[in-house]
C-alpha cells in the first residue's frame, strides 16, 4: 500500500492490498480499503466504509456505512450514507455492462458499477451489479437502482 504524504488516514482504518491513497484524501475512521484500489486526491471516505478493487476519482465523497466493490466512480461523486453497490451475480453468469447501447459481458462474475462525474445518491441507495449512472444523475433516499440512467 502507498499512502501519499498529505493524505489523512483516521484511527481504525485497515488497508489491505495494493491500495494507493493520494495526497489530500481523507479516509475513516474505521474504513476498510482492500484489493487493487485507488483513492484519488481530495476524496473523502467516511466512517465504516468498505472499498474493494475500485477506482475513486478526485473530489468524490463516500458517506459512512457504505460499500463499493469492483467499481469506477467519476470525479465529484457523492454517495449518501449507507449506499451499497452490488458486485456479484448469484447465478454464476458474468455481469453485463451497457457499452454504446449494447449489453456486453464483462467476463467477470464480480463487477460493480460505473458512476459518471457528479452522480449523487440518497441515503441507503442500492445499486445493482453492472449498472451505469450517467454524469449528474441523482437517486432518491432508499432507492434500489436496477437499470442504467
Amino acid at each position: 500500500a502507498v499512502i501519499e504524504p498529505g493524505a489523512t488516514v483516521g484511527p481504525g482504518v485497515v488497508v489491505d492490498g495494493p491500495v494507493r491513497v493520494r495526497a489530500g484524501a481523507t479516509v475513516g475512521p474505521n474504513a476498510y480499503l482492500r484489493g487493487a484500489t485507488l483513492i484519488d486526491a481530495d476524496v473523502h471516505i467516511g466512517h465504516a466504509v468498505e472499498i474493494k478493487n475500485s477506482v475513486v476519482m478526485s473530489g468524490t465523497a463516500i458517506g459512512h456505512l457504505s460499500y463499493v466493490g469492483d467499481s469506477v466512480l467519476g470525479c465529484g461523486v457523492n454517495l449518501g450514507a449507507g449506499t451499497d453497490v452490488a458486485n456479484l451475480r448469484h447465478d454464476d453468469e458474468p455481469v453485463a455492462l451497457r457499452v454504446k447501447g449494447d449489453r456486453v459481458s464483462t467476463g467477470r462474475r464480480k463487477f460493480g458499477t460505473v458512476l459518471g462525474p457528479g452522480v449523487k445518491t440518497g441515503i441507503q441507495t442500492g445499486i445493482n451489479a453492472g449498472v451505469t449512472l450517467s454524469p449528474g444523475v441523482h437517486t432518491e433516499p432508499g432507492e434500489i437502482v436496477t437499470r442504467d440512467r
Side-chain angles (χ1 to χ4, degrees):
V2 175
I3 311 297
E4 293 183 358
T8 302
V9 177
V13 171
V14 175
V15 179
D16 184 18
V19 172
R20 183 176 199 106
V21 179
R22 296 213 186 263
T26 303
V27 180
N30 302 315
Y32 183 27
L33 307 179
R34 63 188 178 106
T37 293
L38 171 66
I39 305 301
D40 208 355
D42 302 317
V43 167
H44 175 77
I45 307 295
H47 168 71
V49 170
E50 181 178 353
I51 301 176
K52 173 191 151 282
N53 291 335
S54 295
V55 174
V56 181
M57 294 183 192
S58 66
T60 290
I62 301 176
H64 57 280
L65 301 171
S66 295
Y67 174 77
V68 175
D70 305 289
S71 297
V72 178
L73 280 57
C75 296
V77 168
N78 188 338
L79 299 187
T83 295
D84 289 320
V85 174
N87 65 333
L88 172 66
R89 285 193 55 154
H90 293 283
D91 61 5
D92 293 324
E93 294 296 318
V95 174
L97 191 66
R98 188 163 309 282
V99 178
K100 296 184 180 180
D102 296 321
R103 292 298 281 176
V104 177
S105 174
T106 62
R108 299 174 54 104
R109 193 171 70 97
K110 288 189 171 186
F111 186 91
T113 189
V114 177
L115 303 182
V119 166
K120 293 183 180 180
T121 66
I123 63 167
Q124 298 175 339
T125 291
I127 302 173
N128 203 29
V131 168
T132 298
L133 296 181
S134 299
V137 166
H138 294 189
T139 71
E140 296 296 320
E143 186 173 345
I144 304 299
V145 184
T146 60
R147 298 189 186 276
D148 295 351
R149 295 200 273 198

